[in-house]
Amino acid sequence: MSFPPLPISHPLRDDHLAKLTASNFDVAIIGGGINGACLYHYLKQQGYKTALLEAHDFGSGTSQNSGMMIWGGLLYLQNFDFTTVYQFSRARDYLIKNFPTEVIPKEFHFVHSKNTNRNKYADYLGFVLYWLLSHGTRRFPKFNIMNNTFSFEEGLLTQSDARFTLSWLNRLPQTQSVCVNYFKVNQAQYNASKQCWELEGSDRIFNQSHLVQAKYVVNACGVWSDQFNMKCEIKTNYKHLLSKGVYLNVKITNNDDKATIYEMGQHQDVITYIPWGPIALWGPTETTVNAVEDGFVVNEQDIDFLIEKAKSLDLKTVTRDNIVSTRCGIRPLVVESSYENHGDYTLKISRKHQIEHDRLRPWITIFGGKLSGCTTVADEVTKMLLKKLTPSLPVSDASPFRQNAQTKADYPDVNESMKNEYCYTLDDYLRRRTNMAQWIENSGLGSNEEQLKAVKAICLQLCLGDPFVAEQHFNFYYNAISGKNVYDKI
Ligand SMILES: Cc1cc2nc3c(=O)[nH]c(=O)nc-3n(C[C@H](O)[C@H](O)[C@H](O)COP(=O)(O)OP(=O)(O)OC[C@H]3O[C@@H](n4cnc5c(N)ncnc54)[C@H](O)[C@@H]3O)c2cc1C
């Protein structure tokens, strides 16, 4: 079985599905990760009638597996890439200023490695330069000479990367735009006489095919965008290099809630300890993979590597016994399509983005991009579109809605999540609407399944009180987390 059984109608989804097939959209965005979701908000604001189509759940690709830092690109200073650092710093400061319940300033500690041949005083000047590149908006960096540590300020997501992605969908009233998860676009064909794209897609909950029409397509499929372009015979000057990254999520046992970056003394790379609720993210790894399918899997080598690194730094909390969960994503790194990888360490490859318009047809592809730069990407695509296509609706004059900060004790009610947040499966609720699947062992069930009863009750609510469907649905989740079923990603 490749998909959790859930043959139940949900009013919000039914409404959006009905509008999806009845309308002719200005723009269809394929892919509901951070790039697609943030762009959806920007286009709605400009009056574009937009459809956002996501094959799985919103944010369930790379956008639910990041380090959750909204950062100014400190590491790129090593390559003297001042423009990129300036742009990322601006984007970070814009998010901190305008979305204060989602992104907060956070002090980070950077531990200088003994194995590097760089002078620590020169490094400190680097931190001051980093601060200057953000126009001095962040706190002035400090250097603690006793323990070779610099402290400086970055941004951090308050709830999670998945919720940050979700937050872009409902900031403005939907008007005539729609966003639909569990809707996979299989093929797109340009109908020259009608001057629109015809997208053939499948609703994966009811296993039904639908046709969606749109004047423009934006391919925001992240690491899947190359294969989607190929399927639709779109040739591009760029492509993605795939870089897998794994974090171990470990229990915080000694009140160590300091966000710390350690220099690895290798490849000029770093490893981070980022507190997040009751756990801390330790990682990430950086490994090139050839296929997307190979990349979303944590293996023993990844775990060994991260545990060894922690041992070498004498970090007592990062042990195998303390692992609560893991996260694993693939960075979409943009390179020219002629690029051949001869074993380059992927940190050396630019983490910028590129936006490419097809030479002949109304089709735009987003390459690369990070959570930190989501508004920059959305702004650039919107400006590109405004030069080519007049929005069919007036510019929105509604003020963007800000979501309330949630704490552990204040999870969204399941019914609210279904009603307002496109939440349909147990995995949606435990992994992306709340952090339970990451904060509680055994994907939310607890190390001795002590949460079983509570999770089953959530499942029953999600299945609208139907005990038969709820049991099937719970069994699917249970088998998936114990490796017996595989969630079919795309
Ligand atoms: C380990 C790691 C740590 C990171 N840490 C940070 C960090 O701290 N800060 C930061 O700013 N960035 C970070 N990043 C980078 C950031 O997470 C990614 O660059 C970003 O999430 C990519 O978003 P996206 O929208 O392009 O892709 P995705 O989130 O992967 O979204 C693409 C979506 O397209 C959908 N899709 C694919 N094909 C189809 C189809 N045919 N039909 C419909 N939908 C389809 C997929 O289901 C998917 O949801 C990190 C990345 C990794 C891997």
Side-chain angles (χ1 to χ4, degrees):
M1 190 187 296
S2 63
F3 204 72
L6 198 69
I8 281 181
S9 279
H10 287 270
L12 178 65
R13 192 164 191 278
D14 292 349
D15 176 49
H16 279 213
L17 260 179
K19 284 185 188 147
L20 188 63
T21 42
S23 315
N24 196 337
F25 291 92
D26 293 330
V27 186
I29 305 169
I30 322 292
I34 188 63
N35 279 328
C38 184
L39 177 64
Y40 178 66
H41 169 78
Y42 270 61
L43 295 186
K44 269 193 335 187
Q45 202 159 34
Q46 286 301 327
Y48 283 114
K49 198 168 150 189
T50 308
L52 175 66
L53 308 168
E54 164 54 50
H56 199 267
D57 185 22
F58 300 116
S60 65
T62 299
S63 299
Q64 68 171 2
N65 292 304
S66 78
M68 287 185 280
M69 282 175 77
I70 299 297
W71 70 318
L74 174 71
L75 291 190
Y76 312 133
L77 271 189
Q78 300 178 123
N79 308 336
F80 306 104
D81 189 352
F82 301 120
T83 316
T84 304
V85 176
Y86 179 72
Q87 282 167 349
F88 270 121
S89 299
R90 275 191 59 159
R92 172 198 61 199
D93 297 338
Y94 173 80
L95 287 172
I96 292 176
K97 183 164 177 231
N98 292 288
F99 302 96
T101 48
E102 286 100 343
V103 187
I104 47 164
K106 170 89 182 163
E107 183 173 60
F108 274 76
H109 302 270
F110 186 97
V111 183
H112 183 87
S113 163
K114 293 182 209 108
N115 300 335
T116 167
N117 49 13
R118 285 194 332 270
N119 179 297
K120 52 193 173 193
Y121 298 101
D123 270 9
Y124 183 56
L125 287 181
F127 276 99
V128 174
L129 176 62
Y130 190 52
W131 174 79
L132 283 171
L133 284 169
S134 72
H135 292 291
T137 16
R138 306 271 55 88
R139 215 181 293 157
F140 192 72
K142 286 190 218 144
F143 179 29
N144 184 337
I145 206 161
M146 301 301 282
N147 57 8
N148 274 342
T149 303
F150 308 96
S151 33
F152 66 110
E153 201 174 70
E154 292 284 12
L156 194 67
L157 295 175
T158 49
Q159 298 175 24
S160 74
D161 39 12
R163 280 205 74 87
F164 181 57
T165 301
L166 196 73
S167 75
W168 293 101
L169 305 182
N170 288 346
R171 284 189 202 281
L172 291 172
Q174 295 300 349
T175 55
Q176 295 176 49
S177 292
V178 295
C179 50
V180 185
N181 49 359
Y182 298 105
F183 190 94
K184 180 181 175 185
V185 182
N186 301 312
Q187 187 54 269
Q189 260 170 357
Y190 192 62
N191 184 327
S193 60
K194 285 194 192 162
Q195 296 202 328
C196 77
W197 286 97
E198 290 173 341
L199 308 173
E200 186 272 305
S202 37
D203 165 14
R204 300 173 91 188
I205 289 189
F206 286 105
N207 208 8
Q208 281 168 351
S209 290
H210 295 281
L211 197 71
V212 180
Q213 298 190 40
K215 293 178 193 139
Y216 246 90
V217 166
V218 179
N219 177 353
C221 290
V223 289
W224 292 274
S225 57
D226 297 344
Q227 61 195 52
F228 189 63
N229 274 341
M230 214 184 291
K231 231 182 193 182
C232 303
E233 296 177 3
I234 300 286
K235 292 203 173 67
T236 56
N237 295 320
Y238 295 97
K239 66 177 180 185
H240 284 115
L241 192 74
L242 311 177
S243 160
K244 171 180 152 181
V246 171
Y247 285 99
L248 302 182
N249 301 338
V250 293
K251 230 179 285 172
I252 296 181
T253 51
N254 56 0
N255 293 331
D256 187 1
D257 63 351
K258 265 203 228 154
T260 311
I261 303 177
Y262 298 88
E263 263 194 300
M264 292 220 280
Q266 228 184 350
H267 303 300
Q268 297 184 314
D269 206 351
V270 294
I271 189 157
T272 56
Y273 179 91
I274 303 176
W276 179 42
I279 61 167
L281 309 187
W282 174 246
T285 57
E286 175 107 29
T287 324
T288 313
V289 288
N290 294 324
V292 178
E293 297 71 41
D294 306 338
F296 282 100
V297 188
V298 180
N299 59 36
E300 280 302 311
Q301 263 171 310
D302 300 318
I303 299 178
D304 287 346
F305 173 85
L306 292 169
I307 295 288
E308 280 309 311
K309 281 286 161 205
K311 266 194 203 152
S312 70
L313 292 162
D314 204 21
L315 288 187
K316 301 271 186 290
T317 48
V318 183
T319 61
R320 273 186 179 265
D321 289 347
N322 265 347
I323 300 174
V324 175
S325 56
T326 54
R327 20 179 65 208
C328 177
I330 314 182
R331 304 170 184 89
L333 305 182
V334 53
V335 288
E336 287 184 6
S337 48
S338 56
Y339 175 86
E340 282 180 39
N341 186 9
H342 297 294
D344 297 332
Y345 189 64
T346 44
L347 184 66
K348 296 267 178 284
I349 291 162
S350 165
R351 298 198 168 174
K352 288 181 237 177
H353 62 268
Q354 292 288 349
I355 292 155
E356 186 171 346
H357 194 294
D358 185 67
R359 261 183 333 114
L360 304 171
R361 284 158 298 175
W363 181 286
I364 292 171
T365 306
I366 299 174
F367 292 95
K370 296 172 79 66
L371 292 152
S372 309
C374 62
T375 49
T376 314
V377 169
D379 189 47
E380 282 177 30
V381 177
T382 307
K383 283 183 179 143
M384 190 182 266
L385 274 165
L386 282 169
K387 285 188 195 144
K388 309 264 183 190
L389 181 71
T390 309
S392 56
L393 305 168
V395 172
S396 168
D397 55 6
S399 321
F401 165 80
R402 278 182 188 166
Q403 63 179 33
N404 295 325
Q406 270 163 14
T407 61
K408 190 182 171 212
D410 181 28
Y411 277 142
D413 173 70
V414 184
N415 287 322
E416 283 300 308
S417 269
M418 286 194 284
K419 210 165 114 205
N420 305 318
E421 297 187 327
Y422 318 96
C423 173
Y424 307 115
T425 75
L426 204 45
D427 188 50
D428 295 349
Y429 188 78
L430 299 180
R431 179 67 178 84
R432 289 171 293 278
R433 304 309 179 276
T434 70
N435 303 327
M436 285 159 94
Q438 296 262 291
W439 287 0
I440 301 172
E441 284 94 344
N442 205 1
S443 301
L445 296 186
S447 45
N448 296 313
E449 300 194 351
E450 56 276 14
Q451 301 295 331
L452 201 69
K453 213 169 142 198
V455 170
K456 281 190 169 177
I458 292 169
C459 191
L460 189 62
Q461 274 183 287
L462 286 167
C463 297
L464 306 181
D466 183 325
F468 177 70
V469 180
E471 191 181 337
Q472 266 187 302
H473 190 71
F474 177 81
N475 288 342
F476 186 92
Y477 183 75
Y478 194 82
N479 286 334
I481 63 175
S482 48
K484 290 185 200 143
N485 278 347
V486 179
Y487 275 106
D488 179 10
K489 268 231 163 268
I490 297 300

